[in-house]
Amino acid sequence: MAHPDVSLSQIVQQYLDYLAYNKRYSKHTIDAYRRDIQRLVQTLDDHGHSHWAEAQADTIRAAMIGARKTGLAPKSIQRILSSWRSFFTYLLQQRMVKLNPVEGIQAPKSPHKLPNSIDPDQMSQMLNAPIASDDPMALRDKAMVELTYSCGLRLAELASLNIFDIDMTDASLVVTGKGNKSRQLPIGHYAIAAVKTWLQQRPQLKCFDANALFINHRGRRMGVRGIQMRMAKMAALHGQHMHPHMLRHSFASHLLQSSGDLRAVQELLGHSNISTTQMYTHLDYQHLAKVYDKAHPRAQAKSQLKEKPKHD
């Protein structure tokens, strides 16, 4: 299989150089593209194609079906299709092909996984644990967790909060989310109390960012990585695992289970499309279905049912 003007290996190398020098992709990413394109070369060879222009959508589709049958995960297939699509776009720009055979081909959807959430009782136990009043870092960490769980904040939203974003009297805050869209959120009284306690301790620290609500021990705004590490450390002290997005999932799941008001949860989470919020209803049903299958005696598969021993 060869191109009339340039060898196959030269075309592939030119593309990888383009990714390295024009797109500034990392070596790890380029290596992944190289493996995917080698797979494409093998696919075209298997179908008897002599050059790129002979590639057809049916060939690509058949390759993906074959990959799925071999047990390749949907996410891996999605990545391969994305690599192939980008490569053919490059070939189009170089006028080596007249169409992109990967356009319009849908990858199999990855199965929805139930997001990890924290049990309300475990959350209460962790947040109600006593904290030394002279430990400003611990008080700050508790305030970050309380606020994230109370408002369903994204990690970036929490990190970007300023002191003036919170109205203590009105028990609300204004946060700027994705798409630079702002939304006003109510704050629970536990979160308000935790934030007030933290702000009383905050002046003890050097501060180089007067507006930042949460600062680190060097007096600078807490970054997303720092927040993740501190939340994980706080949870580990209580034998738990926790990260900011888990708190957001917990907020959404617990609120939806209690209220059933999907539209309100959508507004609170800042989802522009309600279909994104509906994930929580679907996943909640999946969880209930699993509980049912395990618990109900007549919901078990036949292979799981054991025949009762016969007695003479």
Side-chain angles (χ1 to χ4, degrees):
M1 175 180 154
H3 188 271
D5 302 316
V6 189
S7 71
L8 175 63
S9 60
Q10 286 177 315
I11 296 172
V12 173
Q13 190 56 53
Q14 285 174 7
Y15 176 63
L16 296 176
D17 289 343
Y18 166 77
L19 296 181
Y21 300 112
N22 293 68
K23 293 290 188 178
R24 303 288 183 181
Y25 286 174
S26 69
K27 183 180 181 300
H28 175 76
T29 301
I30 292 172
D31 287 342
Y33 270 92
R34 179 181 286 107
R35 289 192 297 270
D36 291 340
I37 295 173
Q38 287 172 347
R39 189 184 190 108
L40 173 61
V41 171
Q42 186 61 54
T43 295
L44 298 182
D45 279 342
D46 291 344
H47 286 79
H49 298 320
S50 60
H51 51 78
W52 304 115
E54 293 183 3
Q56 300 292 323
D58 288 346
T59 303
I60 305 299
R61 199 172 287 111
M64 294 301 98
I65 293 173
R68 193 73 182 97
K69 288 181 178 179
T70 62
L72 200 63
K75 280 191 175 181
S76 296
I77 295 177
Q78 290 169 9
R79 190 205 69 243
I80 291 170
L81 276 177
S82 177
S83 296
W84 291 6
R85 190 177 294 111
S86 298
F87 180 58
F88 273 104
T89 298
Y90 171 80
L91 295 179
L92 272 172
Q93 293 171 348
Q94 301 301 314
R95 298 184 178 180
M96 294 182 182
V97 297
K98 293 183 179 180
L99 55 84
N100 188 334
V102 190
E103 284 300 333
I105 295 181
Q106 298 285 336
K109 292 184 178 180
S110 300
H112 286 300
K113 293 183 179 179
L114 190 68
N116 293 326
S117 60
I118 303 176
D119 181 82
D121 292 336
Q122 293 177 330
M123 178 68 74
S124 296
Q125 184 178 8
M126 180 171 57
L127 291 175
N128 291 338
I131 297 177
S133 58
D134 59 349
D135 186 349
M137 298 294 95
L139 294 172
R140 178 206 59 196
D141 295 346
K142 179 178 179 179
M144 291 193 302
V145 172
E146 285 277 16
L147 199 58
T148 304
Y149 179 54
S150 178
C151 302
L153 298 176
R154 298 181 178 95
L155 174 56
E157 293 172 346
L158 178 69
S160 66
L161 281 178
N162 293 312
I163 294 176
F164 54 76
D165 290 328
I166 295 185
D167 186 333
M168 296 292 187
T169 304
D170 192 41
S172 67
L173 67 80
V174 175
V175 64
T176 302
K178 289 185 177 180
N180 207 30
K181 295 180 180 177
S182 296
R183 64 189 191 279
Q184 185 174 14
L185 301 171
I187 310 176
H189 64 276
Y190 286 111
I192 284 287
V195 171
K196 284 183 177 179
T197 302
W198 153 241
L199 289 178
Q200 290 170 358
Q201 298 294 321
R202 187 176 178 277
Q204 296 183 22
L205 304 175
K206 292 180 180 179
C207 185
F208 297 100
D209 192 333
N211 293 328
L213 178 60
F214 297 113
I215 57 175
N216 56 30
H217 66 280
R218 295 186 298 272
R220 303 192 182 281
R221 181 184 294 272
M222 288 284 290
V224 293
R225 182 59 182 153
I227 293 173
Q228 290 172 325
M229 292 176 64
R230 292 298 301 189
M231 284 191 178
K233 182 178 180 180
M234 177 179 173
L237 292 174
H238 300 277
Q240 303 287 340
H241 170 69
M242 179 177 65
H243 55 78
H245 206 58
M246 185 185 291
L247 291 174
R248 181 170 160 87
H249 280 315
S250 301
F251 163 85
S253 298
H254 299 166
L255 196 59
L256 192 57
Q257 289 169 10
S258 299
S259 68
D261 193 332
L262 188 66
R263 184 67 68 178
V265 175
Q266 177 197 1
E267 293 293 328
L268 291 169
L269 289 174
H271 288 161
S272 57
N273 194 323
I274 199 168
S275 62
T276 307
T277 318
Q278 284 173 332
M279 172 189 71
Y280 290 99
T281 63
H282 297 158
L283 295 174
D284 190 41
Y285 173 77
Q286 288 179 17
H287 174 67
L288 293 174
K290 287 180 181 179
V291 172
Y292 176 84
D293 288 340
K294 288 181 179 180
H296 198 291
R298 296 185 70 82
Q300 300 172 13
K302 290 183 179 180
S303 60
Q304 294 177 311
L305 295 175
K306 295 181 179 179
E307 184 178 351
K308 291 183 180 181
K310 295 181 180 180
H311 300 281
D312 294 333

